[in-house]
Amino acid sequence: MIDILLSLLILTGAIFTFIGSLGLARLRDFYTRLHGPTKATTLGVGCLLIASALYFSVRDEGVSVHEVLVTLFLFITAPVSAHLLAKAALHLKVRSLAPTPAPDSEAPSDPDFQRNPAD
Amino acid sequence: MRRLLPHPLLTLTLVILWLLLVNQLSAGHLVLGALLGWLIPFVTSPFWPEQIRIRHPLTLLHYLGILILDIVRGSFHVARLILRGPARLRPVFVEVPLALKTDLAISLLANTISLTPGTVSAHLSADKRTLIVHTLDTGDAEALVAEIKQRYEVPLKKIFEEADESC
Amino acid sequence: MLSTVIPIAYALVSLALVLSFWRLLRGPDAPDRILALDTLYVNTIALLVLLGIHLGSAIYFEAALLIAMMGFVGTVALCKYLLRGDIIE
């Protein structure tokens, strides 16, 4: 029973990890590529980590939960890096399929930016 | 009380993190974790200028439930779109006007948007009033904005900001 | 059951690594490459976790945790560099 559940989790995890990278390789502009790794890959690795927690809990007759730590960490950091990447891409005016929004006039969007006029 | 335990939530989080990290539950580690959880907020107090207050814990739990469900749903949605191929995507940038004011609530909303179906938050305007969001595939941008506001922003506002107006 | 699933999972995750690596080489812009690098970190974590289950050893967990943390810090530093032209202010 546990075996079937484990296999299912591992397979789902691997498939989602693969689909995330497939999106990264296959889609046509940076902003659409961003979606695959942030969502599909994160969930895929999350599934694999839960499978690992389950496996070691069953095998060692004790609860093994430290995998939850990595899962939580990934789920918290993935949107942060996606947001920063999108912000960097908007800043660099990377080619986009969707019309990009008008930047906040000419002023640098980040208030901290003005502290370094040398840039 | 406030002087002895400046950030009770942070302390609790640190104790749980410590127990997860050592991967066992014993009295010794509980004491060590509690000691660290008590000490670290003092050392790092310059990083935490404001107290976090959660007004509606039940709403927070409900919100987390919705969030986990939507993360799974969103991943399936994105996976289907990726497999269908790039030719049929309709990517759009939409601007979401924000009703939230505190930094914490705004960052939580941005993170939620990035984890849920087909959307990634891309940019916060300098005045913190609008959030630019990129969607992978949508036919109706306005409905999407309305859904984001209704589904995620309203509960977040209730959890973190309602108290500010009453007191 | 588990012994048939694990090789399949290995193959899928390795393919994911290859695809990310291809995007890393191809670009075309700097954000694309950073995104590919970030995906490579996450794929590596997946591979390590699989290896841990396959060999029945919990040692690989620490490596996965470290890669997750260092990968995130690296991605943020690179993005900051693109945004400001400077990492430490």
Side-chain angles (χ1 to χ4, degrees):
Chain A
M1 186 56 211
I2 290 284
D3 222 31
I4 294 173
L5 186 64
L6 266 178
S7 311
L8 215 65
L9 272 173
I10 291 175
L11 208 58
T12 333
I15 289 172
F16 268 113
T17 313
F18 172 69
I19 288 177
S21 290
L22 185 70
L24 181 71
R26 192 179 181 198
L27 298 182
R28 282 181 192 157
D29 81 326
F30 172 74
Y31 300 100
T32 50
R33 272 176 220 144
L34 195 54
H35 290 268
T38 43
K39 291 199 243 342
T41 305
T42 311
L43 186 77
V45 178
C47 279
L48 282 173
L49 283 162
I50 290 168
S52 163
L54 201 63
Y55 176 79
F56 286 110
S57 296
V58 171
R59 201 198 58 166
D60 297 344
E61 313 258 321
V63 202
S64 169
V65 278
H66 59 183
E67 281 87 352
V68 176
L69 211 60
V70 185
T71 318
L72 269 180
F73 187 81
L74 280 179
F75 273 102
I76 292 170
T77 57
V80 177
S81 29
H83 181 88
L84 271 170
L85 276 166
K87 204 169 162 165
L90 280 175
H91 180 71
L92 294 174
K93 301 190 175 61
V94 168
R95 195 184 61 85
S96 162
L97 286 177
T100 45
D104 305 342
S105 69
E106 280 305 295
S109 50
D110 204 328
D112 296 344
F113 198 78
Q114 284 157 335
R115 279 194 235 128
N116 308 326
D119 293 346
Chain B
M1 183 65 194
R2 190 102 295 166
R3 190 114 40 88
L4 272 177
L5 202 66
H7 299 281
L9 275 177
L10 182 63
T11 305
L12 188 68
T13 317
L14 284 170
V15 173
I16 294 173
L17 273 184
W18 178 258
L19 289 178
L20 280 176
L21 203 58
V22 296
N23 206 16
Q24 49 181 298
L25 185 66
S26 65
H29 277 299
L30 203 61
V31 171
L32 190 55
L35 192 68
L36 284 173
W38 177 71
L39 218 58
I40 289 175
F42 281 106
V43 180
T44 58
S45 58
F47 294 121
W48 315 98
E50 57 192 78
Q51 274 265 334
I52 294 169
R53 262 178 302 174
I54 296 171
R55 285 283 143 173
H56 299 268
L58 279 180
T59 319
L60 183 65
L61 278 183
H62 183 71
Y63 182 76
L64 284 179
I66 291 182
L67 186 61
I68 291 172
L69 212 72
D70 278 3
I71 289 171
V72 177
R73 209 163 57 99
S75 301
F76 273 99
H77 179 74
V78 168
R80 204 174 58 234
L81 289 176
I82 289 172
L83 289 178
R84 216 165 59 172
R88 285 163 67 187
L89 294 179
R90 292 163 297 174
V92 178
F93 279 100
V94 293
E95 287 189 9
V96 180
L98 289 175
L100 299 171
K101 290 190 191 69
T102 55
D103 288 350
L104 177 75
I106 292 176
S107 29
L108 277 179
L109 179 69
N111 276 17
T112 309
I113 287 173
S114 294
L115 279 174
T116 48
T119 49
V120 167
S121 65
H123 188 79
L124 179 66
S125 68
D127 55 3
K128 293 182 183 165
R129 292 257 179 73
T130 52
L131 191 66
I132 293 170
V133 173
H134 183 266
T135 68
L136 193 52
D137 179 62
T138 186
D140 186 355
E142 275 175 25
L144 184 82
V145 173
E147 198 200 331
I148 288 173
K149 288 188 80 74
Q150 183 57 39
R151 202 173 168 87
Y152 307 118
E153 194 178 14
V154 171
L156 277 176
K157 191 160 180 64
K158 197 174 166 200
I159 296 165
F160 292 107
E161 293 191 355
E162 212 161 60
D164 297 354
E165 284 151 26
S166 63
C167 64
Chain C
M1 184 81 176
L2 212 56
S3 51
T4 50
V5 165
I6 285 181
I8 300 173
Y10 269 136
L12 282 169
V13 175
S14 308
L15 267 176
L17 275 166
V18 171
L19 286 172
S20 309
F21 194 63
W22 183 74
R23 179 53 71 193
L24 178 69
L25 290 180
R26 182 135 185 279
D29 298 297
D32 282 298
R33 293 181 210 270
I34 300 175
L35 180 62
L37 202 59
D38 192 55
T39 316
L40 271 176
Y41 290 134
V42 182
N43 288 346
T44 313
I45 295 170
L47 206 58
L48 276 177
V49 171
L50 268 178
L51 198 66
I53 297 177
H54 180 71
L55 300 178
S57 152
I59 290 174
Y60 297 94
F61 164 79
E62 263 78 20
L65 186 66
L66 280 178
I67 291 177
M69 289 161 108
M70 294 300 147
F72 173 65
V73 173
T75 309
V76 170
L78 284 168
C79 287
K80 275 282 185 214
Y81 179 71
L82 285 188
L83 276 168
R84 306 275 178 90
D86 203 354
I87 299 173
I88 300 165
E89 295 168 21

